[in-house]
Amino acid sequence: MRVSDWSKSVIKQDQIDKFLVNGKSFIDDEKIFKNISDNQNPDKQFIRDIIQKSLDIKTLSPDEVAALMHVKDPELWDEINDAALKIKQKVYDNRIVFFAPLYCSNLCVNNCLYCGFRNENNKEVRRILTMDEIRRETEAVLDQGHKRLIMVYGEHPKSDVDYMADTIRAVYDVTRKAPVTGRDVAIRRVNVNAAPMDTEKLRKLKEAGIGTYQVFQETYHQETYNKVHPINTVKGNYLWRLYALHRAFDAGVDDVAIGALFGVYDWRYEVMGLVYHALDLERQFGVGPHTVSFPRLTPALESHLSTDSKYMVGDDDFKKLVAVLRLAMPYPGMIVTCRETPEMKREVIKLGCTQTDASTKIGIGAYQEAETLADLEKAQFTIGDNRSLDTIIREMAGMGMISSFCTAGYRCGRTGDTIMGMLKHCVEGKYCKLNAVLTYREYLDDYASPETKALGEKVLAQEMGQIEGNSFFQKNNKIMNQFKLDYDRICCGDRDIYI
Ligand code: SAM
Ligand code: SF4
């Protein structure tokens, strides 16, 4: 099939229409602007009530979110920031989950003005990884100690859903010997960041063993969306993208991830867009997004927009939007990526982020190949943090945080509304704590440098103490005994045990 014919076959109008209400989407421009303008001068007490509502682990209304974004008083911002961390601790404890991105292909039929992979960028060297190359990339990522990948693809017939499913299976098939102990290790969860698909294709991803399906709306502001995604491209269809994750639910993929590319349009509007998106998923499927992402534009090859956008988000506003999102939606994980610098990552982890990437390479084939300048130019955008996983884990340990490689939830069927229900009752966090300890033990034994291991042992001792002293575990003897058994087995060399 010709590429242009393939592009025309992607969108299924009936799989958009079925989600609309009276022909309208959940993004109502007028309503969002009204939310924003009605809440420009929020009263101090109103803000404190909102903070309290978030601390009670309740989702905020759009008006409440808009009010938070307009706070000017620095003292109130301190309260908001404190609350953001407390909410994270209540729902997710002091864990940070690690993953690595694996860029599979930069072939793309689209022309997003901010992206180095866009079709009209003739300077981009195009490449799609073979299954052998996928396996070698996986080996290189495993050698760092990762257990969780997010696979990233441009939109192109050569990287269609069958290719994606093959790459996912190829990743799961790889086993490797851990460098310190020589134990067998493998990737345990493969998430996907790829263009919107129809439900039939999404079912194929589900069969291949996809964890979370992630699609960023880029901008929720339709007028701007149309400007930066030319209308004659597949991505030019705003509604096809807006309902990508609704279709995922229809296809049985119930861990979905939303995000906006901050810097394309006004950040306050994008925060509102994310909130309305989460609310609509909750309304239509009874469960919100698994994670929320807030990538900021970074310079991309041959993209003026990526450096000159008038909506670039400064560091102060970025921190505000992260804290507001944490208060707005207490349950989803929040992801900060290596687009940010180490300093900024540290700051926003203190504002409630729960996941981050490490030892990241975003060039196609970049993990297995020597990193030359030419490789860097092949990347989709520039990154602000290329530190190794070991370095970042050590840093987290220094901040008193435990790094988790837990993938149990998805493999035990704790996904979608099951996991959300457990998060809401702060039960999932309990299992995660145990699984974090088990996977941290594995990492420290299999991969950690002596400095990281020394710090990590202190974190583990602190976690063990908390588990022993926690009334939930004291009351649940069965779980506790199982955990102790599993921990001992891991110390003796067993791997991939979870609760
Ligand atoms: N082609 C698929 C799509 O567009 O959904 C897959 C992913 S694209 C390779 C991953 C994400 O990178 C995009 O959704 C976008 O938000 C982000 N991105 C693109 N250009 C960027 C830039 N210059 N700076 C930061 N993030 C960028
Ligand atoms: Fe292609 Fe995705 Fe880049 Fe757009 S953001 S040009 S769709 S890879």
Side-chain angles (χ1 to χ4, degrees):
M1 200 193 289
R2 290 196 346 237
V3 173
S4 56
D5 290 338
W6 180 87
S7 298
K8 280 185 207 135
S9 73
V10 172
I11 295 170
K12 310 277 176 352
Q13 189 59 41
D14 58 321
Q15 294 189 18
I16 298 174
D17 294 343
K18 64 178 290 194
F19 299 113
L20 302 175
V21 177
N22 300 325
K24 291 202 166 135
S25 84
F26 59 83
I27 293 295
D28 179 340
D29 233 19
E30 245 175 65
K31 209 160 144 190
I32 292 184
F33 283 122
K34 189 168 174 348
N35 292 138
I36 294 175
S37 67
D38 282 357
N39 291 284
Q40 296 212 5
N41 290 305
D43 171 74
K44 226 176 189 173
Q45 192 50 49
F46 182 44
I47 294 297
R48 291 206 163 113
D49 291 346
I50 297 172
I51 294 175
Q52 191 50 51
K53 183 172 172 188
S54 296
L55 285 168
D56 293 338
I57 315 296
K58 293 200 177 109
T59 303
L60 299 183
S61 73
D63 274 317
E64 290 166 338
V65 177
L68 282 182
M69 290 193 288
H70 283 107
V71 166
K72 290 173 197 77
D73 181 351
E75 198 187 312
L76 274 184
W77 272 113
D78 287 344
E79 291 175 35
I80 292 171
N81 295 342
D82 285 350
L85 184 57
K86 281 193 187 123
I87 291 160
K88 188 228 159 180
Q89 279 167 339
K90 234 176 183 171
V91 182
Y92 286 92
D93 210 333
N94 61 336
R95 279 186 307 282
I96 184 96
V97 169
F98 279 92
F99 67 92
L102 201 171
Y103 277 68
C104 301
S105 165
N106 59 5
L107 272 58
C108 194
V109 296
N110 295 312
N111 250 317
C112 314
L113 298 191
Y114 43 80
C115 178
F117 290 175
R118 68 177 206 287
N119 191 269
E120 281 176 10
N121 179 5
N122 299 324
K123 298 215 170 123
E124 183 75 24
V125 182
R126 304 290 163 172
R127 180 169 174 195
I128 176 163
L129 295 180
T130 64
M131 292 310 134
D132 268 349
E133 287 169 330
I134 294 281
R135 280 187 278 273
R136 286 205 293 278
E137 288 285 274
T138 308
E139 288 170 0
V141 175
L142 276 171
D143 288 348
Q144 293 281 328
H146 284 290
K147 300 285 186 295
R148 187 187 280 246
L149 281 188
I150 181 143
M151 315 274 284
V152 186
Y153 314 81
E155 183 165 25
H156 194 275
K158 287 194 179 151
S159 59
D160 66 1
V161 70
D162 294 317
Y163 171 82
M164 290 178 202
D166 287 345
T167 57
I168 293 170
R169 284 190 278 263
V171 166
Y172 280 131
D173 272 353
V174 176
T175 49
R176 199 77 175 150
K177 299 282 177 207
V180 181
T181 56
R183 299 286 161 192
D184 280 343
V185 287
I187 293 295
R188 298 171 185 170
R189 178 176 175 123
V190 176
N191 299 331
V192 166
N193 179 313
M197 282 168 242
D198 61 45
T199 43
E200 203 185 312
K201 290 177 183 152
L202 287 160
R203 272 189 211 109
K204 286 191 180 177
L205 287 189
K206 170 95 180 156
E207 277 163 29
I210 181 181
T212 306
Y213 177 48
Q214 183 182 60
V215 178
F216 300 156
Q217 185 59 27
E218 321 297 12
T219 174
Y220 286 91
H221 187 246
Q222 187 159 5
E223 203 184 308
T224 305
Y225 187 95
N226 294 342
K227 280 188 200 150
V228 300
H229 304 105
I231 194 75
N232 58 346
T233 60
V234 186
K235 194 152 164 180
N237 190 319
Y238 173 88
L239 290 178
W240 180 244
R241 198 166 183 89
L242 196 63
Y243 286 100
L245 301 174
H246 289 62
R247 287 193 296 280
F249 273 108
D250 261 4
V253 179
D254 57 3
D255 268 0
V256 301
I258 62 173
L261 182 55
F262 280 87
V264 175
Y265 186 60
D266 179 64
W267 67 267
R268 290 188 172 90
Y269 191 99
E270 305 299 11
V271 168
M272 299 305 293
L274 289 165
V275 167
Y276 276 109
H277 199 165
L279 286 174
D280 202 65
L281 289 171
E282 187 124 23
R283 185 183 68 78
Q284 298 214 30
F285 304 98
V287 40
H290 188 68
T291 57
V292 180
S293 293
F294 26 84
R296 269 197 292 186
L297 266 185
T298 68
L301 184 65
E302 295 290 298
S303 158
H304 293 302
L305 186 70
S306 70
T307 48
D308 304 347
S309 169
K310 68 174 178 181
Y311 295 108
M312 281 306 183
V313 181
D315 288 351
D316 285 345
D317 285 342
F318 185 64
K319 285 184 262 179
K320 284 182 187 168
L321 77 86
V322 173
V324 169
L325 282 171
R326 183 70 292 166
L327 265 65
M329 303 180 239
Y331 307 115
M334 290 191 23
I335 301 180
V336 56
T337 69
C338 284
R339 291 173 182 85
E340 299 301 333
T341 60
E343 298 73 43
M344 183 52 78
K345 267 188 159 186
R346 263 192 306 275
E347 299 256 0
V348 295
I349 283 171
K350 284 188 256 163
L351 295 174
C353 289
T354 58
Q355 286 194 30
T356 193
D357 51 342
S359 55
T360 295
K361 298 225 162 70
I362 59 170
I364 311 293
Y367 286 107
Q368 32 150 2
E369 292 165 11
E371 201 174 273
T372 61
L373 191 62
D375 282 327
L376 287 179
E377 281 178 359
K378 277 189 257 163
Q380 183 202 11
F381 50 82
T382 31
I383 59 176
D385 183 7
N386 59 7
R387 293 173 302 159
S388 70
L389 180 58
D390 188 73
T391 307
I392 307 185
I393 287 189
R394 188 161 62 245
E395 175 180 88
M396 292 300 125
M399 289 163 69
M401 296 184 70
I402 182 165
S403 300
S404 176
F405 295 90
C406 168
T407 52
Y410 143 78
R411 294 190 292 164
C412 297
R414 295 201 293 268
T415 61
D417 57 350
T418 312
I419 192 170
M420 283 302 151
M422 290 174 87
L423 283 169
K424 283 179 188 174
H425 296 102
C426 298
V427 177
E428 175 63 10
K430 305 278 188 302
Y431 285 94
C432 293
K433 193 171 181 73
L434 303 181
N435 286 317
V437 167
L438 298 179
T439 57
Y440 199 51
R441 179 73 272 157
E442 287 180 333
Y443 178 85
L444 293 183
D445 290 347
D446 285 343
Y447 296 94
S449 63
E451 307 80 50
T452 302
K453 191 162 180 171
L455 267 179
E457 296 292 356
K458 286 188 193 154
V459 173
L460 265 188
Q462 160 203 309
E463 293 294 306
M464 290 295 212
Q466 282 174 12
I467 291 170
E468 306 255 353
N470 185 299
S471 59
F472 175 84
F473 295 120
Q474 285 166 352
K475 277 186 237 141
N476 287 281
N477 266 335
K478 213 172 136 203
I479 300 179
M480 199 54 197
N481 291 339
Q482 183 64 45
F483 167 68
K484 283 183 182 158
L485 245 137
D486 290 348
Y487 186 83
D488 290 343
R489 280 176 61 197
I490 286 175
C491 293
C492 294
D494 279 359
R495 291 290 174 267
D496 201 13
I497 304 168
Y498 50 86
I499 293 180

